[in-house]
């Protein structure tokens, strides 16, 4: 998902480049010796965070910390002064326009200068930024591989998400306050398991903020745009946990899209358990055969033709009713044909590894 969003961002910036946007003055690129990093401070008194970590998206951008959406910047320089051109799409069908110009100079370990609106508006506001050593910032969430990786790879997004998350009543889910996405937790689950669930939520929260940042300003107030996640735990046993994720997103491209992703996790370690670990005989061909043997009752004839064309790939999750197979390889135009099929556990019992401890969870008698 992040790759798709980054590709969209680059396409938008390439489109902007085709307009030869250059309203802030200076020469293209960062000034010689410019320090690449992350800064926090204020723009006209409003808290912002700014990243100069590279000249390509998603590195060069800033965000108002209360909102958490990225505003893209193109770098220029005049001598040692850093000039950052703020570029925004106001309307979905419109072109990218310049909405502001930062002119910043080194000040100790930070940056200081002004932000001004395009010349015809004449507005100018002070900017004061201090360098942030993100790698030394205390973690406000349980330390997990995903959180540490985000801090290293994308420190600006880390700043947005490294805050106390909100545990829902009863503790069975947690809401991330910037993206507002909720994700389940397992009561009494191991720290490793709930850490793995936190990392899944962290990835979705970062994807959601990426997605919403791509929307033109006139699209951001429409709640049907952006990124929506529904995550449930349809299976929980002594040794296994399974999660189903359903994501709908529209980031300003040609059309909305959606996908389903299934997870099977070891309840003690939080590590992913591949379906072929549970059922070694469940090859790709066998999965396809089982799926086609359990069609939806109201399957459209045209969908039947699509599904029987061959080459289906699946995401898998478990539920109390059985093994759930959801196609992931269908083109967008026929994705609606990919209903989830539920295969009773009894039908795949002969394919299972009877020596695994998980076997007793799936087949208790």
């Amino acid at each position: 998902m992040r790759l798709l969003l980054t590709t969209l961002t680059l396409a938008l910036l390439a489109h902007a480049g085709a307009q030869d946007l250059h309203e802030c003055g200076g020469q293209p690129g960062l000034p010689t010796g410019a320090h690449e990093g992350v800064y926090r401070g204020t723009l006209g008194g409003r808290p912002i965070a700014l990243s100069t970590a590279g000249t390509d998206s998603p590195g060069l951008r800033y965000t108002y910390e209360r909102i958490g959406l990225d505003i893209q910047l193109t770098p220029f320089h005049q001598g040692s002064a850093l000039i950052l051109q703020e570029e925004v799409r106001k309307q979905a069908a419109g072109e990218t326009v310049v909405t502001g110009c930062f002119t910043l100079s080194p000040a100790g370990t930070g940056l200081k200068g002004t932000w001004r609106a395009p010349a015809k508006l004449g507005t100018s506001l002070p900017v004061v930024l201090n360098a942030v050593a993100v790698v030394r910032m205390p973690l406000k969430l349980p330390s997990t591989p995903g959180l540490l990786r985000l801090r290293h790879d994308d420190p600006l997004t880390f700043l947005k998400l490294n805050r106390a998350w909100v545990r829902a009543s009863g503790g069975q889910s947690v809401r991330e306050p910037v993206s507002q996405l909720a994700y389940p937790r397992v009561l009494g689950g191991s720290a490793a398991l709930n850490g793995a669930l936190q990392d899944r939520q962290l990835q979705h929260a970062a994807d959601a903020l990426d997605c919403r940042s791509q929307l033109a300003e006139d699209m951001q107030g429409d709640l049907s745009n952006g990124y929506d996640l529904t995550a449930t735990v349809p299976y929980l046993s002594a040794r296994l946990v399974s999660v189903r994720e359903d994501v709908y997103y529209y980031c300003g491209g040609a059309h909305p899209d959606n996908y389903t992703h299934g997870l099977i996790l070891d309840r003690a370690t939080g590590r992913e358990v591949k379906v072929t670990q549970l059922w070694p005989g469940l090859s790709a061909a066998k999965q396809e055969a089982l799926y086609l043997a359990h069609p939806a009752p109201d399957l459209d004839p045209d969908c039947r033709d699509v599904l029987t064309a061959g080459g289906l790939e699946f995401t898998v999750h478990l539920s109390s009713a059985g093994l759930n197979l959801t196609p992931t390889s269908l083109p967008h135009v026929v994705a609606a044909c990919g209903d989830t099929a539920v295969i009773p556990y009894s039908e795949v019992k002969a394919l299972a590894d009877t020596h695994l401890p998980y076997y007793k969870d799936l087949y208790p008698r």
Side-chain angles (χ1 to χ4, degrees):
M1 179 64 182
R2 294 290 292 257
L3 178 60
L4 179 150
L5 295 175
T6 300
T7 301
L8 175 59
T9 302
L10 291 174
L12 291 173
L13 291 177
H15 179 61
Q19 301 173 56
D20 193 26
L21 294 176
H22 189 176
E23 295 189 17
C24 296
Q27 301 299 313
L30 296 169
T32 302
H35 174 69
E36 295 185 359
V38 175
Y39 299 82
R40 298 179 99 167
T42 58
L43 190 169
R46 298 177 65 184
I48 67 168
L50 183 147
S51 172
T52 61
T55 57
D56 294 324
S57 174
L60 198 62
R61 68 217 200 267
Y62 84 101
T63 182
Y64 287 91
E65 297 214 45
R66 187 180 64 83
I67 300 172
L69 300 183
D70 290 342
I71 301 173
Q72 298 297 327
L73 301 168
T74 297
F76 298 89
H77 67 278
Q78 188 71 49
S80 62
L82 172 62
I83 300 171
L84 299 174
Q85 183 165 278
E86 175 186 300
E87 298 165 2
V88 172
R89 275 194 313 148
K90 293 286 189 179
Q91 298 178 329
E95 297 182 335
T96 302
V97 297
V98 177
T99 51
C101 302
F102 287 88
T103 302
L104 303 171
S105 297
T109 60
L111 298 169
K112 189 174 182 179
T114 61
W115 175 97
R116 64 172 176 82
K120 59 181 176 293
L121 298 179
T123 303
S124 182
L125 299 170
V127 178
V128 179
L129 299 170
N130 298 305
V132 180
V134 177
V135 294
R136 293 199 292 271
M137 290 186 66
L139 301 179
K140 298 182 180 179
L141 296 167
S143 179
T144 61
L147 185 63
L148 297 177
R149 186 166 52 249
L150 183 67
R151 182 168 67 176
H152 178 272
D153 295 345
D154 190 352
L156 187 62
T157 299
F158 171 83
L159 288 182
K160 300 174 190 178
L161 301 178
N162 181 44
R163 61 185 70 197
W165 292 4
V166 182
R167 187 169 291 272
S169 177
Q172 296 186 39
S173 70
V174 171
R175 184 172 300 279
E176 191 287 307
V178 183
S179 68
Q180 289 295 307
L181 296 185
Y183 203 88
R185 296 293 188 272
V186 175
L187 291 176
S190 67
L193 172 62
N194 282 319
L197 298 176
Q198 175 183 288
D199 279 351
R200 289 298 303 174
Q201 185 173 9
L202 189 71
Q203 182 65 65
H204 284 293
D207 286 346
L209 296 180
D210 272 352
C211 180
R212 294 169 190 171
S213 294
Q214 309 311 312
L215 295 171
E217 284 189 353
D218 67 342
M219 301 172 65
Q220 291 179 359
D222 186 342
L223 296 180
S224 65
N225 297 326
Y227 189 101
D228 184 65
L229 166 70
T230 300
T232 59
V233 179
Y235 183 89
L236 183 64
S237 69
R239 297 174 181 84
L240 291 170
V241 177
S242 194
V243 179
R244 173 176 173 143
E245 301 172 348
D246 290 287
V247 175
Y248 169 92
Y249 62 95
Y250 180 61
C251 310
H255 48 69
D257 213 337
N258 64 278
Y259 68 91
T260 295
H261 183 71
L263 288 169
I264 305 171
L265 303 174
D266 182 289
R267 185 163 177 170
T269 66
R271 294 173 184 162
E272 185 172 0
V273 179
K274 300 294 185 183
V275 69
T276 49
Q277 291 177 248
L278 302 175
W279 292 279
L282 196 61
S283 64
K286 186 63 175 178
Q287 290 180 44
E288 184 169 1
L290 286 167
Y291 181 83
L292 295 175
H294 293 80
D298 56 348
L299 184 64
D300 185 276
D302 290 337
C303 284
R304 188 181 303 276
D305 292 340
V306 169
L307 296 172
T308 55
L312 292 177
E313 298 175 0
F314 302 93
T315 187
V316 181
H317 71 275
L318 308 179
S319 69
S320 58
L323 177 71
N324 289 243
L325 300 174
T326 307
T328 59
S329 54
L330 297 176
H332 175 79
V333 293
V334 292
C337 294
D339 290 330
T340 299
V342 182
I343 317 301
Y345 291 122
S346 59
E347 289 194 29
V348 290
K349 186 174 183 179
L351 306 176
D353 185 343
T354 59
H355 298 96
L356 285 179
Y358 304 128
Y359 183 84
K360 293 181 181 180
D361 289 40
L362 299 166
Y363 302 103
R365 294 188 301 276

